[in-house]
């Protein structure tokens, strides 16, 4: 797929009509291969190359800009995915799923929206003339491996698995000087889920997942942070088909989202007022968020499926919520 156009912005200062242009190329290929009667492979490759302009801001909210340093919205991504499936006969099936992504991204824009000298002749100039560009470059590599065993016998079916994910990300931000950072994460997990059909109308489900998470962060302001955490998630569920048209269910589910580094704080800490330094410094990292949800409900289809009903009641406990906030200095 190829997509190219000049965009819908006219830059009067530069005399150009392509500062918001689009030039995007994407390629995708897939190979499905039955190597033996018991072994099959599925491979996917994706390539994306986007070289787009970014000049979207004007003082009067029109499609005519006067910026002197239009930005970019670029990315180049190579992604690979593979799945191997091996049948074990009466012992079920083993699957191996792998992914790899290599991406380079650039995000930049003219933060002051205008050209240098725009305020010439204005009484308050030069004390309040704001001149700035913001440019962020990221290089990110990540891969994952998921090994799982699936099987079913009679009224039972289950899956057991192990999972790992690694990510490296380098960032360089040019805004009132150069800021660089490196962030690395490692995740390791084991999980399992089982389902039991007690009767033709009643089924039970239980699943659990344990994960170890660690990350490392360092930046050009000499901040060096590391953390290690472990957490679990899981669910219990019951479903009862009261009639051929009505299903009653109940679930208990717990989820967790790893903590991390508050780069919005670390990247500006040296520039904020002294009286805010301690407040922001204590918030350079945020904790793992957990959610515990309880739910009961009913689903049904009636009158020859002309009426569909879904009714649910739930209650959620959310702890250490990862909410966005800010401080105005």
């Amino acid at each position: 797929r190829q997509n190219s156009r000049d965009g819908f912005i006219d830059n009067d200062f530069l005399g150009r009509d392509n500062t918001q242009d689009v030039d995007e190329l994407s390629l995708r290929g897939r190979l499905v291969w039955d190597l033996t009667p018991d072994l099959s492979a599925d491979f996917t490759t994706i390539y994306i190359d986007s070289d787009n302009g970014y000049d979207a801001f004007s003082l009067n909210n029109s499609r005519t800009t006067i910026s002197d340093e239009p930005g970019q919205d670029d990315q180049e991504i190579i992604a690979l995915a593979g799945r191997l499936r091996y049948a074990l006969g009466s012992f079920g099936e083993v699957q191996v799923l792998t992914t790899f992504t290599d991406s380079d991204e650039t995000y930049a824009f003219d933060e002051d929206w205008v050209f240098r000298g725009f305020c010439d002749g204005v009484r308050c100039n030069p004390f309040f003339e704001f001149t700035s560009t913001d440019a962020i470059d990221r290089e990110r590599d990540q891969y994952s491996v998921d090994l799982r065993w699936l099987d079913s016998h009679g009224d039972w079916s289950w899956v057991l698995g192990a999972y790992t994910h690694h990510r490296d990300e380098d960032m360089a931000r040019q805004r009132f000087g150069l800021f660089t950072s490196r962030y690395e994460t490692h995740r390791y997990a084991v999980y399992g889920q089982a389902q039991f059909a007690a009767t033709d109308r009643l089924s039970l489900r239980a699943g659990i997942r344990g994960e170890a998470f660690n990350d490392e962060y360092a930046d050009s302001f000499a901040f060096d942070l590391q953390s290690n955490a472990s957490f679990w998630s899981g669910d219990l569920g019951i479903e009862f088909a009261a009639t051929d048209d009505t299903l009653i269910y109940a679930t208990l589910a717990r989820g967790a989202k790893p903590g991390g580094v508050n780069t919005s704080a670390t990247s500006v800490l040296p520039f904020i007022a002294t009286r805010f330094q301690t407040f922001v410094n204590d918030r350079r990292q945020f904790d793992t968020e957990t959610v515990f949800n309880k739910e009961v409900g009913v689903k049904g289809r009636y009158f020859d499926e002309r009426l569909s009903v879904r009714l649910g009641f739930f209650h959620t406990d959310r702890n250490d919520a990862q909410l966005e906030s800010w401080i105005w200095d």
Side-chain angles (χ1 to χ4, degrees), residues 48 76-80 100-104 139-142:
I48 298 174
E76 185 177 22
I77 300 174
I78 298 175
L80 308 173
F100 171 79
T101 305
D102 182 350
S103 62
D104 297 317
E139 296 180 5
R140 182 186 300 114
D141 296 323
Q142 56 186 347

Side-chain angles (χ1 to χ4, degrees), residues 198-269:
T199 69
D200 292 339
R201 294 187 177 275
L202 179 65
S203 65
L204 308 173
R205 182 189 69 253
I208 192 168
R209 172 189 173 102
E211 180 170 330
F213 174 86
N214 61 76
D215 61 355
E216 301 177 11
Y217 173 84
D219 64 31
S220 54
F221 292 152
F223 290 132
D224 190 351
L225 306 175
Q226 299 182 11
S227 67
N228 296 276
S230 59
F231 44 85
W232 66 273
S233 57
D235 76 318
L236 293 172
I238 182 172
E239 294 183 352
F240 177 65
T243 69
D244 292 340
D245 300 318
T246 303
L247 177 70
I248 301 172
Y249 69 92
T251 62
L252 297 175
R254 185 184 191 273
K257 181 180 180 182
V261 179
N262 183 1
T263 55
S264 295
T266 60
S267 62
V268 300
L269 187 57

Side-chain angles (χ1 to χ4, degrees), residues 18-23 51-56 70-74 108:
N18 63 346
T19 53
Q20 182 86 353
D21 65 328
V22 172
D23 185 7
D51 297 308
N52 301 331
Y54 193 16
D55 188 25
Q72 300 170 266
D73 187 8
D74 303 338

